[in-house]
mmCIF file of all heavy atoms in Angstrom:
data_model
loop_
_atom_site.group_PDB
_atom_site.id
_atom_site.type_symbol
_atom_site.label_atom_id
_atom_site.label_comp_id
_atom_site.label_asym_id
_atom_site.label_seq_id
_atom_site.Cartn_x
_atom_site.Cartn_y
_atom_site.Cartn_z
ATOM 1 N N SER A 45 21.470 103.090 69.790
ATOM 2 C CA SER A 45 21.524 104.233 70.708
ATOM 3 C C SER A 45 21.092 103.810 72.104
ATOM 4 O O SER A 45 20.259 102.928 72.263
ATOM 5 C CB SER A 45 20.579 105.343 70.237
ATOM 6 O OG SER A 45 21.017 105.873 69.021
ATOM 7 N N ASP A 49 14.227 107.185 78.548
ATOM 8 C CA ASP A 49 12.805 107.471 78.519
ATOM 9 C C ASP A 49 12.559 108.753 79.316
ATOM 10 O O ASP A 49 12.647 108.761 80.529
ATOM 11 C CB ASP A 49 12.028 106.303 79.134
ATOM 12 C CG ASP A 49 10.530 106.579 79.143
ATOM 13 O OD1 ASP A 49 10.094 107.568 78.497
ATOM 14 O OD2 ASP A 49 9.796 105.818 79.800
ATOM 15 N N ASP A 155 34.547 140.829 91.471
ATOM 16 C CA ASP A 155 33.544 140.370 92.434
ATOM 17 C C ASP A 155 34.170 140.127 93.802
ATOM 18 O O ASP A 155 35.244 139.552 93.913
ATOM 19 C CB ASP A 155 32.889 139.074 91.940
ATOM 20 C CG ASP A 155 31.752 138.644 92.850
ATOM 21 O OD1 ASP A 155 30.796 139.426 92.982
ATOM 22 O OD2 ASP A 155 31.828 137.554 93.426
ATOM 23 N N MET A 216 26.076 152.392 94.476
ATOM 24 C CA MET A 216 27.019 151.972 93.441
ATOM 25 C C MET A 216 26.300 151.508 92.169
ATOM 26 O O MET A 216 26.834 151.669 91.069
ATOM 27 C CB MET A 216 27.982 150.909 93.956
ATOM 28 C CG MET A 216 29.257 150.888 93.117
ATOM 29 S SD MET A 216 30.493 149.702 93.666
ATOM 30 C CE MET A 216 31.493 150.704 94.762
ATOM 31 N N LYS A 360 19.122 133.349 78.516
ATOM 32 C CA LYS A 360 19.490 134.706 78.945
ATOM 33 C C LYS A 360 20.933 134.818 79.457
ATOM 34 O O LYS A 360 21.650 135.722 79.027
ATOM 35 C CB LYS A 360 18.484 135.239 79.953
ATOM 36 C CG LYS A 360 17.140 135.593 79.310
ATOM 37 C CD LYS A 360 16.193 136.090 80.366
ATOM 38 C CE LYS A 360 14.973 136.774 79.796
ATOM 39 N NZ LYS A 360 14.192 137.395 80.888
ATOM 40 N N THR A 417 21.915 115.412 83.753
ATOM 41 C CA THR A 417 22.704 116.485 83.152
ATOM 42 C C THR A 417 23.583 115.880 82.051
ATOM 43 O O THR A 417 24.301 114.893 82.301
ATOM 44 C CB THR A 417 23.595 117.170 84.208
ATOM 45 O OG1 THR A 417 22.788 117.509 85.340
ATOM 46 C CG2 THR A 417 24.239 118.437 83.656
#
Side-chain angles (χ1 to χ4, degrees):
Chain A
S45 294
D49 179 11
D155 185 60
M216 203 178 268
K360 288 179 166 188
T417 310

